[in-house]
């Protein structure tokens, strides 16, 4: 069976493509790639999905048998904690057994580089090319148990203004979506913040309570219901299955989307006096570019996938003139300066808590100030089309590229960096086929909710014409 890698590694349905035999195939290829680069050691972890510990153990033993010294982290572990352990320990790479935000029947093998972040496209391609290639004989390595928890939480404490949060007295609300971050924010709050903590969906559940563990509005009704009973500037930070993505639900129950989170964090870091490039994937809001330019910051646009953002973080580490302040994607994955070059839902949630403590304003009030500052109105929605049959991708993308108007707006720019993005003054429409699921994603930003839904309908109709 040929194994195809997506934007962050390899994923598949458990017991169909994602089997122990295939995990060992990927781990052996990964070991060969690491050893070819003179790698000596690696770290392996897992989240709360079915058989996560067993799959992680199989990967760890395969890497060790190939000659690497491997540390296997015990218990569900957030992806950013695994990445921090890789970098802090000087390891050659890392493995995270997770399918991130995908449905519960999926599992995955995420690749992490020695710098503590998503594997670069070059490493992903090298591992994929070595599947089933013979491995040179050599001495076996070692396999030991470990934990990343204390060191990672300590690192977070050095990146967040814990004193400001403590002085605000504002309670911390955290929805773990039954994923790997369950209990981690609670422990951080108890040890470093000393404010009240309220946990939602903290217990591990391989089925994630019956929803995809992705922090988007459609999956957060239980959180919204809880937050309807809360008032003031408080919010619930929400982390996905492996805790590298962030979402938020405001007091009163309204969803605060990833574009808004990106903007609030960018504005907060810039006002702290921090500088650097702003890296955004092509599917993020136009408000990010406008805000970055307002602060005099260079903007870089990449394809979808945090590994492309990682490349820019690494450039910045090699050349301070090219350092990155913040990098983010539409799906809630955001990385910030001074940490591992990685998405980190826990850190971003705590930084959002810091913005509220520093300003005394709720996240929605902070974002409204940004909109007023830039004379920009942001409304957004995304549809994931689970189609009844295969789609003719080439014909679909060609058709989208030739679309002259979206609703009442003339298309001003056609961007084919990843899928097709049709930009107009004040928004965009985008069509992109998923790299990890049989899904076509439709993204729309427009000045009003009605326009968003109208353009989504237009793109949906166009997409359905190309079913094979």
């Amino acid at each position: 069976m040929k194994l195809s890698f997506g934007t962050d590694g390899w994923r598949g349905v458990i017991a169909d493509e994602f089997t122990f035999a295939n995990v060992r195939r990927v781990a052996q290829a990964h070991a060969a790639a690491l050893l070819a680069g003179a790698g000596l050691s690696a770290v392996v972890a897992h989240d709360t999905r079915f058989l996560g510990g067993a799959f992680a153990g199989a990967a760890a033993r395969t890497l060790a048998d190939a000659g690497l010294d491997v540390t296997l982290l015990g218990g569900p572990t957030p992806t950013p904690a695994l990445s921090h352990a890789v970098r802090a320990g000087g390891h050659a790479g890392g493995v995270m057994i997770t399918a991130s935000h995908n449905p519960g029947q999926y599992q995955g093998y995420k690749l992490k580089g020695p710098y503590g972040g998503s594997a670069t496209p070059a490493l992903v391609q090298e591992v994929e090319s070595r599947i089933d290639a013979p491995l040179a004989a050599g001495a076996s390595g070692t396999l030991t148990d470990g934990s990343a928890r204390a060191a990672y939480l300590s690192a977070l404490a050095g990146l967040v203004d814990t004193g400001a949060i403590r002085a605000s007295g504002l309670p911390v609300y955290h929805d773990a979506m039954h994923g790997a971050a369950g209990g981690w924010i609670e422990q951080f709050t108890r040890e470093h913040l000393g404010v009240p903590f309220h946990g939602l969906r903290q217990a591990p559940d391989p089925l994630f309570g019956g929803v995809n563990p992705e922090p988007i509005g459609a999956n957060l009704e239980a959180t919204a219901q809880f937050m309807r009973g809360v008032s003031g500037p408080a919010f619930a930070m929400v982390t996905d299955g492996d805790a590298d993505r962030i979402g938020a639900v405001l007091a009163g129950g309204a969803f605060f989307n990833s574009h808004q989170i990106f903007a609030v964090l960018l504005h907060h870091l810039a006002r702290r006096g921090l500088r650097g490039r702003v890296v955004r994937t092509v599917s993020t809001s136009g408000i990010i570019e406008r805000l970055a330019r307002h602060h005099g910051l260079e903007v870089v646009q990449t394809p979808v996938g945090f590994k492309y953002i990682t490349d820019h973080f690494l450039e910045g580490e090699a050349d301070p003139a090219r350092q990155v302040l913040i990098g983010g994607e539409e799906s809630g994955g955001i990385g910030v300066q001074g940490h591992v070059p990685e998405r980190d839902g826990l850190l971003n949630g705590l930084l959002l808590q810091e913005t509220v403590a520093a300003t005394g304003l709720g996240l929605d009030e902070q974002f409204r100030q940004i909109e007023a500052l830039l004379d920009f109105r942001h409304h957004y929605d995304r549809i994931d089309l689970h189609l009844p049959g295969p789609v003719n991708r080439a014909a679909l993308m060609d058709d989208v590229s030739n679309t002259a108007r979206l609703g009442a707006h003339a298309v001003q720019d056609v961007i084919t960096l990843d899928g097709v993005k049709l930009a107009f003054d004040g928004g965009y429409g985008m069509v992109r086929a998923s790299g990890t699921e049989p899904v076509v994603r439709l993204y729309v930003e427009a000045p009003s909710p009605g326009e968003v839904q109208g353009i989504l309908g237009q793109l949906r109709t166009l997409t359905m014409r190309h079913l094979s």
Side-chain angles (χ1 to χ4, degrees):
M1 175 188 290
K2 178 175 172 55
L3 304 180
S4 298
F5 283 56
T7 58
D8 206 18
W10 164 62
R11 300 181 195 182
V13 174
I14 299 169
D16 181 1
E17 183 182 38
F18 202 95
T19 63
F20 284 102
N22 283 338
V23 166
R24 294 185 184 99
R25 289 171 67 198
V26 174
Q28 181 168 308
H30 189 193
L34 294 179
L35 292 167
L40 300 175
S41 61
V43 187
V44 180
H46 65 89
D47 66 4
T48 61
R49 290 174 181 268
F50 279 120
L51 296 173
F55 284 127
R61 283 188 293 274
T62 302
L63 293 169
D65 288 345
L68 294 163
D69 293 327
V70 181
T71 301
L72 177 61
L73 302 182
T77 301
T79 287
L82 173 276
S83 292
H84 180 266
V86 170
R87 181 169 180 140
H91 300 284
V95 178
M96 185 69 194
I97 300 297
T98 177
S100 187
H101 64 289
N102 290 153
Q105 68 265 32
Y106 282 82
Q107 258 290 14
Y109 187 114
K110 276 189 180 181
L111 298 162
K112 299 298 173 182
Y115 38 80
S118 298
T120 61
L123 177 58
V124 173
Q125 291 166 9
E126 182 177 3
V127 173
E128 188 173 10
S129 72
R130 290 177 178 271
I131 298 290
D132 296 330
L135 186 67
S140 295
T142 61
L143 176 58
T144 58
D145 294 331
S147 173
R149 195 169 185 127
Y152 171 71
L153 294 180
S154 178
L156 294 187
L159 294 166
V160 177
D161 189 344
T162 56
I165 299 174
R166 184 183 304 110
S168 75
L170 186 71
V172 170
Y173 296 85
H174 174 228
D175 176 8
M177 299 194 80
H178 298 295
W184 288 59
I185 291 291
E186 180 179 12
Q187 181 177 341
F188 184 89
T189 301
R190 183 176 65 251
E191 294 178 353
H192 298 283
L193 302 179
V195 298
F197 175 83
H198 301 276
L200 295 83
R201 296 192 283 187
Q202 298 287 302
D205 179 3
L207 294 178
F208 305 103
V211 301
N212 292 2
E214 182 176 13
I216 59 176
N219 299 332
L220 301 179
E221 179 52 39
T223 319
Q225 183 175 349
F226 180 89
M227 293 303 292
R228 288 185 190 113
V230 178
S231 60
F235 70 96
M237 61 183 79
V238 187
T239 49
D240 73 327
D242 67 328
D244 61 357
R245 303 188 187 203
I246 183 69
V249 177
L250 306 175
F255 177 63
F256 194 73
N257 72 38
S258 58
H259 308 276
Q260 295 169 308
I261 290 171
F262 193 170
V264 166
L265 290 178
L266 165 56
H267 196 45
H268 179 67
L269 295 175
R271 288 192 298 178
R272 265 188 180 183
L274 300 177
R275 308 292 295 172
R277 294 184 296 160
V278 176
V279 185
R280 69 185 191 101
T281 57
V282 67
S283 56
T284 53
S285 167
I287 203 169
I288 302 302
E289 181 163 357
R290 287 168 171 80
L291 182 59
R293 298 203 185 284
H294 169 80
H295 287 293
L297 304 174
E298 179 187 349
V299 181
V300 180
Q301 189 168 233
T302 75
V304 174
F306 203 84
K307 62 187 178 182
Y308 300 105
I309 297 174
T310 296
D311 280 344
H312 290 284
F313 269 107
L314 297 179
E315 285 180 9
E317 291 185 3
D319 178 3
R322 297 182 62 76
Q323 71 175 336
V324 173
L325 172 62
I326 186 170
E329 52 187 354
E330 172 273 339
S331 58
I334 299 171
V336 299
Q337 190 179 106
H339 191 35
V340 289
E342 172 72 286
R343 297 170 288 203
D344 191 335
L346 294 88
L347 173 60
N348 292 321
L350 293 169
L351 286 174
L352 288 175
Q353 192 84 10
E354 180 186 309
T355 72
V356 177
T359 64
L361 301 175
L363 299 179
D364 52 340
E365 295 174 279
Q366 293 182 56
F367 187 74
R368 282 196 295 270
Q369 288 187 348
I370 293 171
E371 287 184 308
L373 178 69
L374 303 174
D375 191 25
F376 187 93
R377 295 295 174 268
H378 165 80
H379 295 278
Y380 169 83
D381 200 359
R382 185 187 94 188
I383 291 177
D384 294 355
L385 290 179
H386 297 264
L387 301 174
V391 66
N392 187 327
R393 294 190 182 193
L396 170 61
M397 297 307 166
D398 186 61
D399 202 358
V400 175
S401 297
N402 290 313
T403 300
R405 300 188 70 82
L406 288 176
H409 302 277
V411 173
Q412 297 175 326
D413 196 12
V414 178
I415 302 165
T416 57
L417 194 59
D418 194 336
V420 177
K421 180 178 182 179
L422 306 174
F424 56 85
D425 186 24
Y428 72 92
M430 179 171 163
V431 178
R432 175 182 175 267
S434 169
T436 59
E437 300 172 83
V439 170
V440 173
R441 305 192 194 281
L442 311 179
Y443 313 76
V444 175
E445 177 179 46
S448 70
E451 290 178 284
V452 169
Q453 295 308 314
I455 296 171
L456 278 173
Q458 179 183 347
L459 294 178
R460 181 189 182 102
T461 298
L462 188 154
T463 300
M464 298 301 287
R465 290 207 301 257
H466 294 279
L467 287 175
S468 300

